[in-house]
Amino acid sequence: MALSEIQSRVAQACQEAGRDVNDVTLIAVSKIQPLDRVEAVLDEGHKIFGENRVQEALGKWPDLKARYDGVSVHLLGPLQTNKARAAMELVDCIHSLDRPKLATTLARLAQELGQCPDLFIQINTGEEPQKAGMLPAQADEFVAECRALDLPIRGLMCIPPVGETPSLHFALLRKIAARNGLSDLSMGMSGDFEQAIAFGATHIRVGSAIFGARVYETPTS
Ligand SMILES: *Cc1c(COP(=O)(O)O)cnc(C)c1O
């Protein structure tokens, strides 16, 4: 199993960066993976998992949470407002708060439910038109808006553009977080988590390096 290998690479990257390994949370991204691979990682004692879609998370985690103690699930992908309630009831953390309408919806539901997952604001550091997230220039205002709504904002999240040097995006995310007094940084995936740790990541989201490549279903003819 690759989990232990990733854990030692995380420890090594922390040591090289002069950081405490306990300050970096490894999120095992289980989206699309077959259940037996997810169970194998649970059986090794890992407790923190990431999913991209609410529907998929609802299909597997209520059952797995009942079978394994102390598991937490983080939502990483785009969240539609009509799925916000279901997400808030299932997950411990949402990394994809990316627009004012979602912020007001989460605030209203937090009042109703008397609880709210920890939140990361997603920043579109590459300013890619097709990608979710607040633009860097709008980040400060949005952080303030979320705070005015009493939302539990822990930090910022980014997904660097494919083909660009990720460290430039990690540095930008760190800078925006610092000037807003936010401590946590959700950045780094299978291909670049060591660099992300060097740039201060507190939450790394690692999928294929732990579980193996995701096999998407292909239509059968
Ligand atoms: C799928 C996904 C990951 C994990 O990607 P890998 O390259 O498999 O590590 C991390 N973050 C988000 C937002 C994702 O959608």
Side-chain angles (χ1 to χ4, degrees):
M1 206 60 219
L3 177 67
S4 57
E5 185 201 321
I6 299 304
Q7 285 166 333
S8 39
R9 282 172 58 188
V10 169
Q12 178 73 25
C14 284
Q15 195 184 358
E16 280 166 20
R19 299 187 55 202
D20 186 336
V21 72
N22 296 311
D23 293 338
V24 177
T25 299
L26 173 61
I27 302 168
V29 183
S30 49
K31 67 178 183 208
I32 314 287
Q33 298 290 349
L35 197 58
D36 60 333
R37 290 189 192 170
V38 181
E39 286 170 337
V41 171
L42 282 160
D43 288 335
E44 285 191 88
H46 196 74
K47 302 282 187 198
I48 305 168
F49 292 82
E51 288 288 340
N52 238 35
R53 296 175 58 240
V54 177
Q55 212 59 37
E56 187 185 342
L58 284 169
K60 68 181 104 156
W61 286 104
D63 175 51
L64 290 171
K65 277 185 155 190
R67 288 165 47 207
Y68 293 87
D69 282 340
V71 166
S72 63
V73 179
H74 291 225
L75 181 70
L76 311 176
L79 177 56
Q80 296 167 259
T81 49
N82 64 1
K83 301 224 170 76
R85 175 188 290 271
M88 287 174 83
E89 287 171 346
L90 178 71
V91 307
D92 300 273
C93 186
I94 296 172
H95 292 239
S96 48
L97 172 51
D98 61 356
R99 59 196 193 279
K101 188 178 175 217
L102 182 58
T104 51
T105 301
L106 293 177
R108 176 174 53 75
L109 289 166
Q111 287 289 321
E112 263 181 62
L113 299 168
Q115 59 174 50
C116 188
D118 289 329
L119 301 173
F120 285 82
I121 293 172
Q122 184 173 351
I123 306 293
N124 186 355
T125 56
E127 306 192 22
E128 296 172 277
Q130 82 287 4
K131 198 169 269 179
M134 294 302 288
L135 294 173
Q138 300 168 339
D140 298 2
E141 193 187 337
F142 188 54
V143 171
E145 210 176 312
C146 291
R147 284 182 167 145
L149 289 167
D150 267 335
L151 288 171
I153 305 296
R154 268 185 84 153
L156 304 179
M157 178 272 229
C158 76
I159 307 170
V162 174
E164 285 189 27
T165 309
S167 54
L168 297 176
H169 296 271
F170 299 154
L172 175 58
L173 197 72
R174 178 172 66 181
K175 188 171 113 187
I176 298 170
R179 72 173 183 239
N180 283 285
L182 290 167
S183 57
D184 287 10
L185 295 169
S186 168
M187 57 191 198
M189 318 202 318
S190 290
D192 55 22
F193 67 85
E194 282 133 327
Q195 279 167 278
I197 289 170
F199 279 83
T202 60
H203 292 68
I204 56 173
R205 313 178 306 261
V206 182
S208 43
I210 293 176
F211 294 101
R214 286 179 289 278
V215 179
Y216 292 87
E217 273 177 41
T218 48
T220 46
S221 52

